[in-house]
Amino acid sequence: MTTDYNEFMMTERRSNWVRLRTLVALRWVAVVGQILTIIIAAALFGFQFEYGGFALAIGASIIVNLVTTFVYPETTRLSERGAALMLLFDITQLSVLLYLSGGLNNPFALLILAPVTISATALRPTSAVLTGGAAILMITLIGLIHRPLLLQDGTELLLPDVFVFGHWAAILIGVLFLGLFSWRVTSETHSMSEALLATQLALSREQKLTDLGGVVAAAAHELGTPLATIKLVSTELIDDLSDNEALREDAVLIREQAVRCRDILRSMGQAGKDDLHMRSAPLQAVIEEAAEPHMGRGKSVIIDIQDPSGEQQPHCYRRPEIIHGLRNLIQNAVDFAATTVWLDVTWTDQTVTLRIIDDGQGFPASVIGRIGEPFVGRRRQERASAQRPEYDGMGLGLFIAKTLLERTGAEFSFANGSDRNDQHLRSGRKSGAIVELTWPRDRICLKDGDEMAALGQNTRF
Protein backbone atom coordinates (compact mmCIF):
# COMPACT_ATOMS: atom_id res chain seq x y z
CA MET A 1 0.00 0.00 0.00
CA THR A 2 1.17 3.51 -0.68
CA THR A 3 2.23 6.03 1.92
CA ASP A 4 -0.76 8.27 1.18
CA TYR A 5 -3.15 5.40 1.78
CA ASN A 6 -1.39 4.50 5.03
CA GLU A 7 -1.71 8.05 6.28
CA PHE A 8 -5.36 8.10 5.28
CA MET A 9 -6.07 4.89 7.19
CA MET A 10 -4.17 6.09 10.25
CA THR A 11 -5.60 9.62 10.47
CA GLU A 12 -8.90 9.75 8.62
CA ARG A 13 -10.41 6.33 8.97
CA ARG A 14 -12.97 7.49 11.57
CA SER A 15 -14.20 10.60 9.82
CA ASN A 16 -17.57 10.76 8.06
CA TRP A 17 -18.91 7.93 10.21
CA VAL A 18 -21.92 9.80 11.65
CA ARG A 19 -25.04 10.49 9.65
CA LEU A 20 -26.56 13.87 10.35
CA ARG A 21 -30.02 12.32 10.64
CA THR A 22 -28.77 10.06 13.44
CA LEU A 23 -27.82 13.02 15.64
CA VAL A 24 -31.00 14.83 14.64
CA ALA A 25 -33.11 11.84 15.68
CA LEU A 26 -31.29 11.57 19.00
CA ARG A 27 -31.81 15.28 19.62
CA TRP A 28 -35.55 14.95 18.94
CA VAL A 29 -35.68 12.19 21.55
CA ALA A 30 -33.78 14.44 23.97
CA VAL A 31 -36.15 17.37 23.32
CA VAL A 32 -39.23 15.24 23.95
CA GLY A 33 -37.64 13.83 27.11
CA GLN A 34 -36.73 17.29 28.38
CA ILE A 35 -40.23 18.63 27.83
CA LEU A 36 -41.85 15.63 29.52
CA THR A 37 -39.44 15.86 32.45
CA ILE A 38 -40.28 19.53 33.03
CA ILE A 39 -44.03 18.87 32.82
CA ILE A 40 -43.91 15.89 35.18
CA ALA A 41 -41.61 17.64 37.68
CA ALA A 42 -43.87 20.68 37.75
CA ALA A 43 -47.20 18.81 37.84
CA LEU A 44 -46.39 15.94 40.20
CA PHE A 45 -43.66 17.34 42.45
CA GLY A 46 -44.51 21.04 42.36
CA PHE A 47 -41.12 22.35 41.28
CA GLN A 48 -40.92 25.99 40.25
CA PHE A 49 -38.99 26.63 37.04
CA GLU A 50 -37.99 29.61 34.94
CA TYR A 51 -39.93 28.52 31.90
CA GLY A 52 -38.53 31.30 29.74
CA GLY A 53 -35.00 29.98 30.03
CA PHE A 54 -36.17 26.41 29.40
CA ALA A 55 -38.10 27.58 26.33
CA LEU A 56 -35.01 29.30 24.90
CA ALA A 57 -32.73 26.27 25.48
CA ILE A 58 -35.18 23.70 24.16
CA GLY A 59 -36.29 26.02 21.36
CA ALA A 60 -32.67 26.32 20.21
CA SER A 61 -32.49 22.54 19.83
CA ILE A 62 -35.76 22.48 17.91
CA ILE A 63 -34.58 25.25 15.55
CA VAL A 64 -31.25 23.50 14.89
CA ASN A 65 -33.09 20.26 14.14
CA LEU A 66 -35.56 21.92 11.79
CA VAL A 67 -32.81 23.78 9.91
CA THR A 68 -30.65 20.68 9.46
CA THR A 69 -33.69 18.61 8.46
CA PHE A 70 -34.82 20.93 5.69
CA VAL A 71 -31.44 22.22 4.50
CA TYR A 72 -29.36 19.04 4.31
CA PRO A 73 -30.21 15.79 2.49
CA GLU A 74 -31.08 12.71 4.52
CA THR A 75 -27.90 10.96 3.43
CA THR A 76 -25.59 13.73 4.70
CA ARG A 77 -22.66 12.47 6.74
CA LEU A 78 -20.98 14.91 9.06
CA SER A 79 -17.33 15.80 8.80
CA GLU A 80 -15.11 15.54 11.86
CA ARG A 81 -15.56 19.22 12.61
CA GLY A 82 -19.31 19.18 11.96
CA ALA A 83 -19.94 16.23 14.26
CA ALA A 84 -17.82 17.78 17.01
CA LEU A 85 -19.74 21.07 16.76
CA MET A 86 -23.09 19.27 16.92
CA LEU A 87 -22.04 17.40 20.05
CA LEU A 88 -20.64 20.55 21.64
CA PHE A 89 -24.00 22.22 21.02
CA ASP A 90 -25.78 19.35 22.78
CA ILE A 91 -23.40 19.60 25.75
CA THR A 92 -23.96 23.35 25.98
CA GLN A 93 -27.76 23.02 25.67
CA LEU A 94 -27.93 20.39 28.38
CA SER A 95 -25.63 22.46 30.61
CA VAL A 96 -27.96 25.45 30.28
CA LEU A 97 -30.92 23.31 31.34
CA LEU A 98 -28.95 21.99 34.32
CA TYR A 99 -27.91 25.55 35.24
CA LEU A 100 -31.60 26.53 35.37
CA SER A 101 -32.61 23.50 37.43
CA GLY A 102 -30.26 23.06 40.35
CA GLY A 103 -26.94 22.17 38.75
CA LEU A 104 -25.50 19.00 40.26
CA ASN A 105 -28.49 18.76 42.60
CA ASN A 106 -30.38 17.64 39.49
CA PRO A 107 -30.03 13.86 39.02
CA PHE A 108 -30.28 14.28 35.22
CA ALA A 109 -26.78 15.79 35.21
CA LEU A 110 -25.42 12.36 34.34
CA LEU A 111 -26.95 12.72 30.84
CA ILE A 112 -23.90 14.81 29.99
CA LEU A 113 -22.21 11.42 29.44
CA ALA A 114 -24.28 10.74 26.30
CA PRO A 115 -22.60 13.19 23.87
CA VAL A 116 -19.20 12.37 25.34
CA THR A 117 -19.71 8.66 24.63
CA ILE A 118 -20.92 9.38 21.09
CA SER A 119 -17.85 11.55 20.47
CA ALA A 120 -15.46 8.88 21.76
CA THR A 121 -17.16 6.27 19.61
CA ALA A 122 -17.45 8.19 16.35
CA LEU A 123 -14.67 10.78 16.31
CA ARG A 124 -10.91 10.84 16.43
CA PRO A 125 -9.07 11.31 19.76
CA THR A 126 -8.54 15.06 19.28
CA SER A 127 -12.25 15.74 18.87
CA ALA A 128 -13.15 13.28 21.62
CA VAL A 129 -10.79 15.05 24.04
CA LEU A 130 -12.32 18.40 23.05
CA THR A 131 -15.89 17.30 23.77
CA GLY A 132 -14.86 15.48 26.95
CA GLY A 133 -12.99 18.55 28.17
CA ALA A 134 -16.00 20.75 27.39
CA ALA A 135 -18.29 18.40 29.34
CA ILE A 136 -15.97 18.44 32.37
CA LEU A 137 -15.73 22.24 32.24
CA MET A 138 -19.50 22.67 32.00
CA ILE A 139 -20.20 20.22 34.82
CA THR A 140 -17.67 21.99 37.02
CA LEU A 141 -19.17 25.42 36.28
CA ILE A 142 -22.77 24.42 36.92
CA GLY A 143 -21.64 22.71 40.11
CA LEU A 144 -20.38 26.08 41.32
CA ILE A 145 -22.90 28.43 39.67
CA HIS A 146 -26.56 27.47 39.12
CA ARG A 147 -30.15 28.45 39.82
CA PRO A 148 -31.63 26.57 42.81
CA LEU A 149 -34.37 24.00 42.55
CA LEU A 150 -37.43 25.45 44.31
CA LEU A 151 -40.40 23.50 45.58
CA GLN A 152 -43.96 24.82 45.41
CA ASP A 153 -43.67 26.49 48.83
CA GLY A 154 -40.39 28.18 47.89
CA THR A 155 -38.16 25.73 49.74
CA GLU A 156 -34.78 25.25 48.07
CA LEU A 157 -33.96 21.61 47.37
CA LEU A 158 -30.32 21.04 48.23
CA LEU A 159 -28.17 17.94 48.54
CA PRO A 160 -25.42 17.83 51.19
CA ASP A 161 -22.13 19.19 49.91
CA VAL A 162 -20.49 15.79 50.13
CA PHE A 163 -23.17 14.33 47.84
CA VAL A 164 -22.79 17.21 45.38
CA PHE A 165 -19.04 16.65 45.33
CA GLY A 166 -19.59 12.91 44.92
CA HIS A 167 -22.00 13.56 42.06
CA TRP A 168 -19.41 15.78 40.36
CA ALA A 169 -16.64 13.24 40.90
CA ALA A 170 -18.81 10.41 39.58
CA ILE A 171 -19.65 12.34 36.40
CA LEU A 172 -15.99 13.34 35.95
CA ILE A 173 -14.86 9.73 36.29
CA GLY A 174 -17.69 8.61 34.01
CA VAL A 175 -16.61 11.07 31.31
CA LEU A 176 -13.01 9.87 31.48
CA PHE A 177 -13.73 6.15 31.80
CA LEU A 178 -16.60 5.86 29.33
CA GLY A 179 -14.86 8.12 26.83
CA LEU A 180 -11.59 6.20 26.98
CA PHE A 181 -13.30 2.79 27.07
CA SER A 182 -15.63 3.59 24.16
CA TRP A 183 -12.80 4.98 22.06
CA ARG A 184 -10.59 1.98 22.77
CA VAL A 185 -13.22 -0.63 21.98
CA THR A 186 -14.36 1.18 18.83
CA SER A 187 -10.77 1.61 17.61
CA GLU A 188 -9.99 -2.06 18.11
CA THR A 189 -13.21 -3.13 16.44
CA HIS A 190 -12.60 -0.86 13.46
CA SER A 191 -8.96 -1.91 13.17
CA MET A 192 -10.00 -5.55 13.19
CA SER A 193 -12.64 -4.85 10.56
CA GLU A 194 -10.11 -3.12 8.30
CA ALA A 195 -7.59 -5.89 8.80
CA LEU A 196 -10.12 -8.60 8.03
CA LEU A 197 -11.07 -6.74 4.87
CA ALA A 198 -7.41 -6.62 3.88
CA THR A 199 -7.17 -10.34 4.60
CA GLN A 200 -10.17 -11.09 2.41
CA LEU A 201 -8.73 -8.95 -0.39
CA ALA A 202 -5.38 -10.72 -0.15
CA LEU A 203 -7.02 -14.13 -0.23
CA SER A 204 -9.28 -13.09 -3.09
CA ARG A 205 -6.27 -11.86 -5.07
CA GLU A 206 -4.40 -15.10 -4.41
CA GLN A 207 -7.44 -17.13 -5.47
CA LYS A 208 -7.83 -15.12 -8.68
CA LEU A 209 -4.16 -15.60 -9.51
CA THR A 210 -4.53 -19.31 -8.85
CA ASP A 211 -7.62 -19.54 -11.05
CA LEU A 212 -5.94 -17.50 -13.78
CA GLY A 213 -2.96 -19.82 -13.69
CA GLY A 214 -5.32 -22.76 -13.94
CA VAL A 215 -7.00 -21.30 -17.01
CA VAL A 216 -3.65 -20.70 -18.68
CA ALA A 217 -2.46 -24.19 -17.78
CA ALA A 218 -5.69 -25.67 -19.13
CA ALA A 219 -5.17 -23.77 -22.38
CA ALA A 220 -1.55 -24.94 -22.57
CA HIS A 221 -2.61 -28.51 -21.95
CA GLU A 222 -5.44 -28.47 -24.47
CA LEU A 223 -3.40 -26.70 -27.16
CA GLY A 224 -0.40 -28.95 -26.69
CA THR A 225 -1.66 -31.65 -29.04
CA PRO A 226 -2.66 -29.38 -31.98
CA LEU A 227 0.60 -27.45 -31.67
CA ALA A 228 2.56 -30.69 -31.70
CA THR A 229 0.62 -31.77 -34.80
CA ILE A 230 1.37 -28.45 -36.52
CA LYS A 231 5.04 -28.86 -35.69
CA LEU A 232 5.12 -32.43 -36.99
CA VAL A 233 3.31 -31.60 -40.25
CA SER A 234 5.44 -28.52 -40.84
CA THR A 235 8.60 -30.59 -40.34
CA GLU A 236 7.41 -33.08 -42.94
CA LEU A 237 6.60 -30.23 -45.32
CA ILE A 238 10.08 -28.84 -44.90
CA ASP A 239 11.51 -32.16 -46.00
CA ASP A 240 9.09 -32.45 -48.91
CA LEU A 241 9.61 -28.88 -50.14
CA SER A 242 13.36 -29.01 -50.45
CA ASP A 243 13.03 -28.10 -54.16
CA ASN A 244 10.74 -25.09 -53.53
CA GLU A 245 12.62 -22.58 -51.40
CA ALA A 246 9.75 -20.07 -51.02
CA LEU A 247 7.26 -22.64 -49.73
CA ARG A 248 9.95 -24.28 -47.62
CA GLU A 249 10.61 -20.95 -45.88
CA ASP A 250 6.90 -20.64 -45.10
CA ALA A 251 6.87 -24.15 -43.62
CA VAL A 252 9.93 -23.31 -41.49
CA LEU A 253 8.16 -20.15 -40.26
CA ILE A 254 5.05 -22.16 -39.34
CA ARG A 255 7.13 -24.62 -37.30
CA GLU A 256 9.02 -21.83 -35.53
CA GLN A 257 5.79 -20.07 -34.58
CA ALA A 258 4.24 -23.32 -33.33
CA VAL A 259 7.30 -23.90 -31.14
CA ARG A 260 7.07 -20.29 -29.95
CA CYS A 261 3.38 -20.71 -29.02
CA ARG A 262 4.23 -23.87 -27.09
CA ASP A 263 7.00 -22.10 -25.15
CA ILE A 264 4.80 -19.11 -24.34
CA LEU A 265 1.97 -21.27 -23.03
CA ARG A 266 4.39 -23.41 -21.06
CA SER A 267 5.95 -20.37 -19.36
CA MET A 268 2.56 -18.79 -18.61
CA GLY A 269 1.08 -21.97 -17.25
CA GLN A 270 4.05 -23.22 -15.27
CA ALA A 271 2.68 -22.01 -11.94
CA GLY A 272 -0.94 -22.67 -12.77
CA LYS A 273 -0.47 -26.17 -14.14
CA ASP A 274 0.23 -27.57 -10.72
CA ASP A 275 -2.77 -25.74 -9.30
CA LEU A 276 -5.00 -27.32 -11.92
CA HIS A 277 -3.65 -30.84 -12.21
CA MET A 278 -2.10 -31.32 -8.77
CA ARG A 279 -4.29 -30.15 -5.94
CA SER A 280 -1.65 -31.50 -3.58
CA ALA A 281 2.12 -31.80 -3.56
CA PRO A 282 4.84 -33.14 -1.27
CA LEU A 283 5.22 -30.99 1.83
CA GLN A 284 8.64 -29.80 0.76
CA ALA A 285 7.29 -28.70 -2.63
CA VAL A 286 4.57 -26.63 -0.94
CA ILE A 287 7.15 -24.94 1.30
CA GLU A 288 9.44 -24.30 -1.67
CA GLU A 289 6.58 -22.78 -3.67
CA ALA A 290 5.80 -20.38 -0.83
CA ALA A 291 9.47 -19.45 -0.37
CA GLU A 292 10.42 -19.24 -4.06
CA PRO A 293 9.74 -15.48 -4.58
CA HIS A 294 12.10 -14.64 -1.70
CA MET A 295 15.00 -16.97 -2.47
CA GLY A 296 16.75 -14.52 -4.77
CA ARG A 297 16.71 -11.47 -2.53
CA GLY A 298 20.26 -11.67 -1.21
CA LYS A 299 19.48 -13.85 1.83
CA SER A 300 19.95 -17.59 2.12
CA VAL A 301 16.70 -19.51 2.58
CA ILE A 302 17.46 -23.02 3.85
CA ILE A 303 14.69 -25.63 3.90
CA ASP A 304 15.51 -28.39 6.37
CA ILE A 305 13.21 -31.42 6.18
CA GLN A 306 13.53 -33.31 9.47
CA ASP A 307 12.03 -36.79 9.33
CA PRO A 308 13.11 -38.90 12.31
CA SER A 309 10.66 -41.68 11.49
CA GLY A 310 12.00 -42.17 7.96
CA GLU A 311 8.51 -42.45 6.49
CA GLN A 312 7.51 -41.05 3.12
CA GLN A 313 7.02 -37.30 3.03
CA PRO A 314 3.30 -36.41 3.34
CA HIS A 315 1.39 -34.80 0.49
CA CYS A 316 -0.25 -31.52 1.46
CA TYR A 317 -3.00 -29.45 -0.11
CA ARG A 318 -1.79 -26.52 -2.19
CA ARG A 319 -4.45 -24.16 -0.89
CA PRO A 320 -4.12 -20.39 -1.51
CA GLU A 321 -4.42 -19.73 2.24
CA ILE A 322 -1.38 -21.88 2.95
CA ILE A 323 0.75 -20.56 0.09
CA HIS A 324 -0.08 -16.90 0.67
CA GLY A 325 0.17 -17.11 4.47
CA LEU A 326 3.54 -18.87 4.44
CA ARG A 327 4.79 -16.46 1.79
CA ASN A 328 4.00 -13.50 4.03
CA LEU A 329 5.78 -15.08 7.00
CA ILE A 330 8.84 -15.96 4.91
CA GLN A 331 8.91 -12.47 3.42
CA ASN A 332 8.90 -10.98 6.91
CA ALA A 333 11.75 -13.27 7.98
CA VAL A 334 13.82 -12.47 4.87
CA ASP A 335 13.24 -8.74 5.30
CA PHE A 336 14.59 -8.72 8.86
CA ALA A 337 17.24 -11.44 8.59
CA ALA A 338 20.92 -10.57 8.55
CA THR A 339 22.05 -13.32 6.18
CA THR A 340 19.97 -16.50 6.57
CA VAL A 341 16.44 -17.80 7.04
CA TRP A 342 15.78 -21.40 8.08
CA LEU A 343 12.57 -23.29 7.35
CA ASP A 344 12.63 -26.34 9.62
CA VAL A 345 9.90 -28.85 8.76
CA THR A 346 8.96 -31.94 10.72
CA TRP A 347 5.89 -34.13 11.11
CA THR A 348 4.38 -36.98 13.06
CA ASP A 349 1.32 -39.14 12.56
CA GLN A 350 -0.79 -36.40 14.13
CA THR A 351 0.86 -33.07 13.37
CA VAL A 352 2.93 -31.10 10.88
CA THR A 353 5.26 -28.44 12.27
CA LEU A 354 7.09 -25.61 10.50
CA ARG A 355 9.56 -23.27 12.19
CA ILE A 356 10.60 -20.09 10.40
CA ILE A 357 13.80 -18.78 11.98
CA ASP A 358 16.12 -15.94 11.01
CA ASP A 359 19.37 -14.49 12.27
CA GLY A 360 18.08 -10.95 12.69
CA GLN A 361 17.39 -8.99 15.86
CA GLY A 362 14.18 -10.82 16.66
CA PHE A 363 10.80 -9.46 17.67
CA PRO A 364 10.75 -6.30 19.81
CA ALA A 365 10.07 -7.17 23.44
CA SER A 366 7.35 -4.52 23.57
CA VAL A 367 5.18 -6.23 20.94
CA ILE A 368 6.06 -9.91 21.09
CA GLY A 369 2.97 -10.59 23.20
CA ARG A 370 0.72 -8.87 20.66
CA ILE A 371 2.11 -10.22 17.40
CA GLY A 372 -0.67 -11.11 15.03
CA GLU A 373 -2.94 -8.23 16.02
CA PRO A 374 -3.71 -5.75 13.24
CA PHE A 375 -1.61 -2.57 12.98
CA VAL A 376 0.90 -3.67 15.61
CA GLY A 377 3.55 -2.92 12.97
CA ARG A 378 3.10 0.80 13.60
CA ARG A 379 4.84 0.43 16.94
CA ARG A 380 8.00 -0.75 15.25
CA GLN A 381 7.84 1.59 12.28
CA GLU A 382 10.95 3.49 13.35
CA ARG A 383 12.98 0.34 13.86
CA ALA A 384 11.72 -1.21 10.63
CA SER A 385 12.53 1.92 8.66
CA ALA A 386 16.12 1.80 9.90
CA GLN A 387 16.56 -1.86 8.99
CA ARG A 388 14.39 -1.86 5.87
CA PRO A 389 14.51 1.62 4.27
CA GLU A 390 11.78 0.62 1.82
CA TYR A 391 9.46 -0.59 4.58
CA ASP A 392 6.16 1.29 4.76
CA GLY A 393 3.69 -1.27 6.01
CA MET A 394 0.57 -0.99 8.11
CA GLY A 395 1.26 -3.92 10.43
CA LEU A 396 -1.13 -6.15 8.51
CA GLY A 397 1.32 -8.66 7.04
CA LEU A 398 1.57 -10.93 10.07
CA PHE A 399 -2.12 -10.48 10.84
CA ILE A 400 -3.12 -11.54 7.33
CA ALA A 401 -0.74 -14.51 7.40
CA LYS A 402 -1.94 -15.56 10.85
CA THR A 403 -5.60 -15.24 9.90
CA LEU A 404 -5.21 -17.19 6.66
CA LEU A 405 -3.18 -19.98 8.23
CA GLU A 406 -5.46 -20.27 11.26
CA ARG A 407 -8.26 -20.99 8.78
CA THR A 408 -6.32 -24.10 7.81
CA GLY A 409 -5.99 -25.22 11.44
CA ALA A 410 -2.54 -23.80 12.22
CA GLU A 411 -1.58 -22.88 15.77
CA PHE A 412 1.05 -20.16 16.22
CA SER A 413 3.78 -19.40 18.70
CA PHE A 414 6.28 -16.54 18.52
CA ALA A 415 9.65 -16.34 20.25
CA ASN A 416 13.17 -15.00 19.95
CA GLY A 417 16.18 -17.25 19.61
CA SER A 418 18.48 -15.04 21.68
CA ASP A 419 18.44 -11.78 23.60
CA ARG A 420 22.05 -10.93 22.75
CA ASN A 421 22.53 -7.76 20.74
CA ASP A 422 25.91 -8.51 19.20
CA GLN A 423 25.14 -8.73 15.49
CA HIS A 424 28.39 -10.61 14.83
CA LEU A 425 27.20 -13.39 17.14
CA ARG A 426 23.78 -13.39 15.51
CA SER A 427 24.79 -13.48 11.87
CA GLY A 428 24.48 -16.98 10.44
CA ARG A 429 22.95 -18.41 13.61
CA LYS A 430 19.38 -19.24 14.57
CA SER A 431 19.27 -16.37 17.01
CA GLY A 432 16.54 -14.10 15.66
CA ALA A 433 12.76 -14.34 15.44
CA ILE A 434 11.12 -17.76 15.59
CA VAL A 435 7.64 -18.38 14.23
CA GLU A 436 6.34 -21.90 14.86
CA LEU A 437 3.24 -23.26 13.14
CA THR A 438 1.63 -26.56 14.03
CA TRP A 439 -1.21 -28.12 12.03
CA PRO A 440 -3.26 -31.24 12.69
CA ARG A 441 -1.98 -33.50 9.93
CA ASP A 442 -5.43 -34.41 8.69
CA ARG A 443 -6.27 -30.70 8.09
CA ILE A 444 -3.59 -30.02 5.48
CA CYS A 445 -2.35 -33.43 4.31
CA LEU A 446 -3.91 -36.22 2.30
CA LYS A 447 -4.38 -39.59 3.87
CA ASP A 448 -1.87 -42.28 3.01
CA GLY A 449 -2.59 -43.75 -0.41
CA ASP A 450 -4.64 -40.77 -1.58
CA GLU A 451 -1.81 -38.68 -3.08
CA MET A 452 -3.17 -39.04 -6.62
CA ALA A 453 -6.75 -38.14 -5.71
CA ALA A 454 -6.06 -34.53 -6.62
CA LEU A 455 -5.55 -35.35 -10.28
CA GLY A 456 -8.55 -34.89 -12.51
CA GLN A 457 -10.83 -32.54 -14.36
CA ASN A 458 -10.82 -28.98 -13.14
CA THR A 459 -14.35 -28.34 -11.83
CA ARG A 460 -14.00 -24.60 -11.31
CA PHE A 461 -14.46 -23.68 -14.97
Side-chain angles (χ1 to χ4, degrees), residues 74-116:
E74 292 188 6
T75 57
T76 301
R77 291 188 178 273
L78 293 172
S79 64
E80 183 85 11
R81 181 180 179 182
L85 290 176
M86 292 283 281
L87 293 172
L88 287 173
F89 172 81
D90 292 333
I91 291 173
T92 303
Q93 191 260 1
L94 180 58
S95 298
V96 171
L97 293 178
L98 293 174
Y99 166 79
L100 296 172
S101 56
L104 293 181
N105 294 287
N106 189 331
F108 290 99
L110 62 87
L111 291 177
I112 202 76
L113 297 175
V116 174

Side-chain angles (χ1 to χ4, degrees), residues 91 101 142 186 204 216 298 309 363 406:
I91 291 173
S101 56
I142 64 174
T186 304
S204 175
V216 174
S309 64
F363 295 114
E406 282 178 341

